[in-house]
Amino acid sequence: MTVGFSAILLPQLQKPDSPIQIDSEQSSWIASMAPLLMAASCLVGGLLMERFGRKLTQLVLNVTFAAGFCLLSMASSYEMILAGRFMTGFASGLVGQLTSVYIAETSDPKYRGNLSAGFSFAVSFGVLISHLFGTFLHWKIAALCCSFFMVVSYVFVVFSPESPPWLLSKGRSSEAEEAFCWLRGDDSEAIKEFNDMVSKYTNGDSLKTKPTLLQNLSTPEFYRPLTILLIFFFVSQFAGVHIVSFYSVSIIHSILGSNMNEYLAMIIVDIVRVIASLIPCVLLKVTRRRPLAMWSGCGTTISLAGLSIFLHFRIPQQLTWISKVFLLSYIVFINIGLFPLPWCMAGETFPQVTREIGSAMTTSFNFLSFFVVIKTGPLLFDSVGTDGAFMIYGGISLVGTLVLYAILPETKDRTLQEIEEAFKLRWRTVEEDSASGQQVKA
């Protein structure tokens, strides 16, 4: 809802009768304030998760979210709006990495991809909800309605267990076993995974001997996934994954013209995004990460290129449906792979001893890229036009997809311990040997 809120806030503030008047520079700061704080709060989130645990950190960020939206609902000046965006942006930075790590540490490897993909669904659904509120309600009432969801989330988290790996790292073995069995049951496969997890600490590989940051950066099981995820998050953001969410009304107006209600079109785009974000929740149970990433990258590139070409040549009014098709296909393709997959991998690719550091660094970089894209978006659209901006995003998507093809690992159905060991062995991916039909490590 933080991501989508600016799209309905800014048009209302820019109306002549708005009691709070803003210019274009203030408008860009309102939009970009949240992602700027997301980048900074990720680093804080890593420390909070390690010190106080995943559950308590989640409870704190829910309170911060609610307070931020309540402040927005009472805002009477530009400064109060920025303060509200500051608080909701700070909490958003915490929730991203926290979600990825918690899901990775609590879920069965068979379902980890499906559950992690639920993060992108939650973002898409939140954008839709905030846009619906803003379409039919004043932005202050919409902000107050958004805060209600934080209360519901708080109640759910109160009754959720703490992460078993974190409890083990603090020497709370009995609590860890109880939480693990509550989450995963007590079948032989689950018990074996828990025993493997316990052995990492009883054999001395615990957070008590946690290496320094410099030592962490020098280990292959840390810097290899770090490099891969930095590139993956860069491609995801600079392919424009959030640019339509933040500037929905203005972008849709430039694409579709004045013959369609921008708010109706925005809701349609949001619904398509929600449906698209459900696709990886299903596909990641049966499909490997790499093929899904490649399909997503290729589809995103083609959609952006097609949209840019049709906008550039200003096609006749009766053919604007082609632009609509390319816009919707772009929303679908980027949300089935390039957006959810790096979040899936952020919590599962780093070893336990550096999981907080790694997730903090990668998600912080993601939100810093997020900020740059949102802050420069209006300037890019003004300088090269909507068609030129989409062509630039498409070029980044193309190059990024080629790079990911070369470096992206396959982590489907692997335990966190197996993934860690694989990176130590210079493992990149698991390929299917067509001759023998067996999997080999490349």
Side-chain angles (χ1 to χ4, degrees):
M1 290 186 288
T2 299
V3 170
F5 195 75
S6 65
I8 55 97
L9 170 64
L10 296 177
Q12 293 192 36
L13 290 177
Q14 291 165 349
K15 290 181 178 179
D17 59 346
S18 173
I20 304 176
Q21 292 293 318
I22 59 171
D23 55 32
S24 58
E25 179 66 18
Q26 291 173 322
S27 176
S28 70
W29 273 112
I30 289 174
S32 59
M33 173 60 72
L36 177 62
L37 267 297
M38 292 176 193
S41 64
C42 282
L43 302 177
V44 179
L47 298 175
L48 292 176
M49 283 197 299
E50 195 282 327
R51 182 75 172 82
F52 301 106
R54 286 52 165 146
K55 181 175 180 177
L56 182 58
T57 304
Q58 178 76 32
L59 293 173
V60 170
L61 73 87
N62 273 286
V63 173
T64 308
F65 262 129
F69 276 117
C70 286
L71 181 59
L72 281 170
S73 71
M74 298 183 292
S76 58
S77 65
Y78 168 68
E79 290 74 19
M80 288 185 70
I81 292 175
L82 283 185
R85 293 287 287 171
F86 180 102
M87 295 181 70
T88 55
F90 184 86
S92 295
L94 294 179
V95 77
Q97 67 178 125
L98 181 59
T99 300
S100 299
V101 170
Y102 186 79
I103 290 175
E105 292 182 344
T106 58
S107 60
D108 189 300
K110 296 191 296 293
Y111 307 112
R112 190 172 60 229
N114 307 70
L115 294 172
S116 296
F119 177 81
S120 63
F121 168 74
V123 173
S124 301
F125 187 69
V127 170
L128 171 61
I129 292 297
S130 62
H131 285 177
L132 282 172
F133 286 160
T135 299
F136 300 105
L137 303 172
H138 188 273
W139 62 268
K140 289 189 176 183
I141 304 299
L144 188 61
C145 291
C146 288
S147 67
F148 168 76
F149 289 85
M150 308 305 110
V151 177
V152 175
S153 178
Y154 188 95
V155 173
F156 274 113
V157 175
V158 165
F159 293 99
S160 300
E162 181 55 88
S163 160
W166 182 82
L167 290 170
L168 281 173
S169 73
K170 301 302 179 182
R172 296 156 62 177
S173 302
S174 59
E175 293 178 63
E177 183 175 6
E178 182 181 353
F180 190 88
C181 291
W182 188 94
L183 288 158
R184 305 281 297 281
D186 55 0
D187 61 85
S188 58
E189 185 178 351
I191 293 300
K192 181 182 181 302
E193 184 179 345
F194 180 74
N195 290 335
D196 290 342
M197 192 187 305
V198 172
S199 67
K200 291 177 63 64
Y201 298 93
T202 58
N203 292 332
D205 185 17
S206 69
L207 290 178
K208 294 179 181 179
T209 57
K210 187 175 180 178
T212 64
L213 178 60
L214 183 60
Q215 291 172 321
N216 288 331
L217 292 174
S218 65
T219 58
E221 61 268 32
F222 178 80
Y223 68 73
R224 284 171 183 158
L226 177 70
T227 302
I228 291 168
L229 283 172
L230 290 179
I231 294 173
F232 209 161
F233 274 124
F234 178 88
V235 176
S236 174
Q237 290 299 334
F238 282 88
V241 64
H242 287 306
I243 199 72
V244 176
S245 299
F246 267 66
Y247 300 107
S248 295
V249 175
S250 57
I251 289 177
I252 289 173
H253 178 77
S254 64
I255 293 175
L256 304 182
S258 57
N259 63 321
M260 185 173 184
N261 184 288
E262 297 99 330
Y263 287 91
L264 175 61
M266 177 179 67
I267 298 302
I268 293 174
V269 168
D270 289 342
I271 293 174
V272 171
R273 183 188 292 112
V274 170
I275 296 173
S277 65
L278 281 172
I279 296 175
C281 296
V282 177
L283 286 182
L284 285 172
K285 181 67 174 68
V286 296
T287 306
R288 293 184 296 167
R289 280 27 166 197
R290 278 175 55 80
L292 189 58
M294 295 306 104
W295 279 107
S296 175
C298 292
T300 298
T301 301
I302 294 172
S303 300
L304 285 170
L307 185 59
S308 175
I309 291 170
F310 276 88
L311 288 174
H312 179 76
F313 289 103
R314 302 182 183 279
I315 59 175
Q317 191 70 31
Q318 62 269 24
L319 295 179
T320 55
W321 64 269
I322 300 178
S323 296
K324 299 175 187 177
V325 170
F326 277 121
L327 176 63
L328 295 180
S329 67
Y330 164 63
I331 298 298
V332 170
F333 277 112
I334 200 168
N335 279 284
I336 66 172
L338 290 185
F339 178 48
L341 285 176
W343 287 107
C344 292
M345 298 176 64
E348 67 183 12
T349 53
F350 292 105
Q352 174 65 35
V353 71
T354 54
R355 191 162 294 143
E356 292 89 356
I357 298 173
S359 62
M361 292 178 67
T362 52
T363 54
S364 178
F365 175 80
N366 169 71
F367 286 125
L368 182 61
S369 301
F370 186 178
F371 166 75
V372 172
V373 172
I374 299 303
K375 191 71 175 71
T376 60
L379 177 62
L380 187 62
F381 285 116
D382 290 341
S383 58
V384 299
T386 305
D387 56 335
F390 280 128
M391 184 59 73
I392 291 174
Y393 294 143
I396 294 173
S397 174
L398 173 62
V399 175
T401 301
L402 295 175
V403 173
L404 290 173
Y405 178 80
I407 67 172
L408 191 65
E410 183 58 66
T411 58
K412 185 179 184 297
D413 293 340
R414 288 178 170 258
T415 67
L416 302 184
Q417 288 75 27
E418 289 173 341
I419 294 172
E420 178 180 346
E421 292 301 319
F423 274 117
K424 291 181 181 178
L425 301 173
R426 300 176 61 84
W427 169 66
R428 178 186 68 85
T429 184
V430 173
E431 301 290 356
E432 193 71 20
D433 189 331
S434 57
S436 62
Q438 295 182 350
Q439 289 183 330
V440 296
K441 290 179 182 178

